[in-house]
Amino acid sequence: MQRYSIFSIARNALTNHKNWHTAWRSPEPKPAYDVVVVGAGGHGLGTAYYLAKEHGITNVAVLEKGWLGGGNTGRNTTIIRSNYLYDESAKLYDHSVKLWEGLTGELNYNVMFSPRGVMMLAHNVHDVQVFKRHVYANRLNGVDNEWLTAEQAKAFCPPLSIDPGARYPVVGAALQRRGGTARHDAVAWGYARGADARGVDVIQNCEVTGIDVEGGRVTGVQTTRGAIRAKKVAIVAAGHTSVLCTMAGFRMPLESVPLQALVSEPMKPVFPCVVMSNAVHAYLSQSDKGELVIGAGTDQYVSYSQRGGVQILEHTLEAILELFPIFSRCRMLRQWGGIVDVTPDRSPIIGRTPVENLFVNCGWGTGGFKATPGSAHVFAHTVAKGEPHPINAPYTLDRFKTGRLIDEAAAAAVAH
Amino acid sequence: MLQIDCPFCGPRAEIEFRCGGEAHIARPLKPEDASDETWRDYLFQRKSPKGVHFERWVHSHGCGRWFNAARDTVTDRFLAIYPMGEKAPSIEELKARLPDVGSPRHAYAENRVAPERVEGERP
């Protein structure tokens, strides 16, 4: 791997930038691998990276039906935070935030992690009680979170309107200063480059069309580029997990729905942090390119259309203008949808499946990007050892049978 | 936004409806004897297919009545609407009428055509 540094830039400038290497190869699939990872998004590529780096398993292929990072990794609103209520969630998401903090150095690739603060607005007495409970629960778990008055919230985010006459007045806010954003494409590219340098084959335009199971044990996958044998298969396919698990002969407690996001035309820096409001359902931040990045809600029905209904956007934009009247004449530039796989308890499933040597990392629903490094790290451990890391031990598929749910549906500090 | 053909009121905008999720999930008849697996299947397991999905809808801001629908989850196109309590049409039958169901080739423009009704299914 060619390391990136100020010296490599200077050296390559002298040769007119003609000697840069490609960041990763485009290999032909081999007939067999130790581990096949299905899905080259951030979670899948990260899994391959940590398998190679921490567990010495380098005979790995990452199969991607489209292009690298072209699914939800490239479609989310890039928000990173760990202010979840329950102990299990706080451990998992904070593990991830800690990895984000060192990820640029770790990968020698600038993922542009920007801990600019994530502020969640409270609009009524109920919000205040719930958010204060979050603040205290987070602190007990060693996760930073603090309570702000409306005036302090305004000072932290000047465009915010705290007009007491507003339909949804801001009465306070919970702020996680370590939260923020990162460049989503760079995460996929950085992990792909790091995994490739350690011998992992990242194979794009290779759709999995079947999963071979013999005697309750996985033996390989069928793809659009031929059959590939594998000792272990790891499904990290977000919205298409149900489709793949059906190929392997079992059902999942998942529903796939479209989730939308949109960006405005670029503007000068005006918005210094990430603001979320559950009551009115709005998420907002400003990218380094200057676009306002806005997250909308999910559609109410199962769909793989990657579009989403326009009334969902309307609802979100109404809420944003209520909170930030300053943006009333701002024009929207692009809108898109991604297919997210939602579990009944809104917590992910990371672990074994009824088929031996077939593992699954899914169910991240509407909030998987923030967990990318942590999820990949604990999942690589699970795949390598055949048993979960202590952090993902509670996130079994079995919990929907035992009833030991991690019910973040009402507690995830976010509206669903 | 979808246009949904309520069998009682006719075509209306999606915002008048709520989707009730996967149809034809029967509650265990003897709850006291049902195993944990049976409860899991009833409460949590969902098909979430890429292709034909059978689901329930309620016209909550209209007549308030429930009905079943078959919809292609790749294009969101409604393939059939049929009463609650009735058996789902077979996927083969739906596919015979619309051979490209479940395929991304399915033209987007086609999706705007009002859904074809299955004869005799309307209550």
Side-chain angles (χ1 to χ4, degrees):
Chain A
M1 185 174 79
Q2 194 179 25
R3 278 191 71 77
Y4 298 151
S5 69
I6 192 164
F7 304 109
S8 69
I9 292 175
R11 203 162 44 244
N12 282 282
L14 294 174
T15 53
N16 287 325
H17 296 290
K18 283 178 183 157
N19 296 330
W20 287 110
H21 301 175
T22 51
W24 53 80
R25 300 162 295 133
S26 291
E28 284 299 310
K30 289 192 274 186
Y33 289 94
D34 289 343
V35 178
V36 163
V37 178
V38 184
H43 292 249
L45 291 164
T47 302
Y49 173 82
Y50 291 115
L51 276 172
K53 188 191 168 224
E54 304 217 332
H55 305 283
I57 303 173
T58 55
N59 188 20
V60 176
V62 186
L63 308 182
E64 169 57 50
K65 72 170 174 175
W67 66 95
L68 191 158
N72 295 347
T73 299
R75 291 167 190 263
N76 61 77
T77 51
T78 79
I79 296 169
I80 294 164
R81 61 185 178 88
S82 60
N83 52 355
Y84 282 71
L85 183 64
Y86 292 122
D87 297 352
E88 296 90 341
S89 315
K91 284 198 186 82
L92 177 61
Y93 291 99
D94 212 50
H95 180 55
S96 197
V97 169
K98 283 176 187 150
L99 288 171
W100 276 115
E101 285 163 351
L103 198 61
T104 290
E106 159 89 27
L107 297 177
N108 178 234
Y109 203 96
N110 189 1
V111 299
M112 296 165 75
F113 175 57
S114 162
R116 56 184 70 181
V118 173
M119 190 165 76
M120 297 182 147
L121 302 178
H123 300 281
N124 51 46
V125 174
H126 176 74
D127 281 356
V128 172
Q129 289 170 343
V130 168
F131 285 176
K132 284 192 172 170
R133 183 181 174 210
H134 268 86
V135 169
Y136 301 138
N138 288 161
R139 287 188 177 180
L140 286 171
N141 276 317
V143 177
D144 74 306
N145 200 353
E146 63 191 90
W147 179 253
L148 303 184
T149 62
E151 290 72 27
Q152 287 170 322
K154 170 87 179 163
F156 191 74
C157 181
L160 179 67
S161 163
I162 55 166
D163 178 2
R167 186 171 171 204
Y168 298 102
V170 174
V171 294
L175 171 65
Q176 185 179 23
R177 290 184 193 271
R178 284 162 65 230
T181 59
R183 171 94 199 272
H184 48 9
D185 296 324
V187 180
W189 298 338
Y191 274 129
R193 176 168 165 266
D196 180 84
R198 287 170 173 80
V200 172
D201 285 354
V202 181
I203 302 161
Q204 303 181 66
N205 297 311
C206 179
E207 181 173 355
V208 171
T209 53
I211 293 177
D212 302 331
V213 180
E214 279 172 31
R217 176 190 284 263
V218 76
T219 56
V221 292
Q222 300 292 324
T223 76
T224 48
R225 291 169 72 173
I228 299 174
R229 279 178 286 116
K231 290 181 187 150
K232 292 177 178 178
V233 174
I235 298 175
V236 201
H240 280 71
T241 305
S242 299
V243 176
L244 287 160
C245 290
T246 306
M247 291 175 191
F250 59 95
R251 282 170 69 190
M252 293 292 282
L254 293 172
E255 287 193 299
S256 295
V257 293
L259 176 68
Q260 293 179 81
L262 62 163
V263 294
S264 74
E265 57 191 348
M267 295 182 290
K268 290 195 173 176
V270 61
F271 203 78
C273 58
V274 181
V275 170
M276 308 174 71
S277 165
N278 300 346
V280 298
H281 203 275
Y283 311 42
L284 187 64
S285 64
Q286 190 175 19
S287 73
D288 292 340
K289 284 187 283 184
E291 305 153 328
L292 294 176
V293 182
I294 298 167
T298 54
D299 279 301
Q300 55 173 332
Y301 46 82
V302 171
S303 177
Y304 290 83
S305 68
Q306 289 193 329
R307 280 200 299 269
V310 76
Q311 79 278 14
I312 310 271
L313 299 178
E314 208 175 347
H315 176 68
T316 297
L317 291 174
E318 279 168 5
I320 287 197
L321 292 189
E322 170 83 18
L323 296 169
F324 305 101
I326 184 180
F327 297 133
S328 67
R329 292 199 296 164
C330 175
R331 283 166 297 190
M332 292 299 133
L333 197 66
R334 289 180 286 124
Q335 167 275 344
W336 62 91
I339 303 304
V340 298
D341 47 331
V342 179
T343 56
D345 63 359
R346 301 302 193 268
S347 287
I349 300 165
I350 315 168
R352 287 192 287 254
T353 66
V355 176
E356 208 179 327
N357 289 340
L358 178 65
F359 301 86
V360 71
N361 182 354
C362 66
W364 290 96
T366 58
F369 177 73
K370 66 174 84 68
T372 304
S375 146
H377 184 256
V378 297
F379 191 49
H381 182 283
T382 308
V383 173
K385 311 273 185 204
E387 55 189 48
H389 188 281
I391 289 176
N392 70 312
Y395 292 89
T396 59
L397 178 55
D398 220 30
R399 72 178 187 269
F400 297 98
K401 191 179 80 186
T402 62
R404 193 166 172 76
L405 305 182
I406 305 160
D407 196 0
E408 288 285 357
V414 64
H416 289 288
Chain B
M1 193 185 313
L2 306 179
Q3 190 185 57
I4 302 174
D5 196 5
C6 172
F8 310 101
C9 311
R12 299 291 180 88
E14 183 200 330
I15 45 168
E16 295 187 14
F17 297 82
R18 288 302 297 171
C19 184
E22 189 177 319
H24 309 299
I25 299 174
R27 191 170 193 274
L29 279 176
K30 281 192 166 177
E32 64 278 17
D33 295 339
S35 64
D36 288 351
E37 283 82 1
T38 308
W39 280 117
R40 174 198 63 194
D41 292 351
Y42 169 66
L43 290 170
F44 301 128
Q45 302 285 66
R46 294 294 177 264
K47 292 197 180 80
S48 196
K50 189 172 186 176
V52 180
H53 190 227
F54 299 106
E55 60 196 13
R56 305 174 302 165
W57 286 85
V58 59
H59 194 185
S60 49
H61 299 290
C63 60
R65 295 172 79 176
W66 286 87
F67 56 91
N68 283 322
R71 190 174 48 85
D72 182 355
T73 60
V74 177
T75 60
D76 294 338
R77 177 180 182 171
F78 281 88
L79 306 171
I81 290 192
Y82 58 100
M84 298 301 286
E86 197 162 281
K87 249 183 88 189
S90 78
I91 292 181
E92 284 64 37
E93 182 199 319
L94 293 169
K95 278 190 176 166
R97 281 199 292 130
L98 301 160
D100 52 354
V101 165
S103 122
R105 286 195 311 276
H106 204 126
Y108 178 43
E110 254 186 85
N111 201 23
R112 300 180 185 182
V113 179
E116 204 180 321
R117 281 206 198 88
V118 183
E119 222 174 311
E121 286 226 334
R122 187 156 176 168

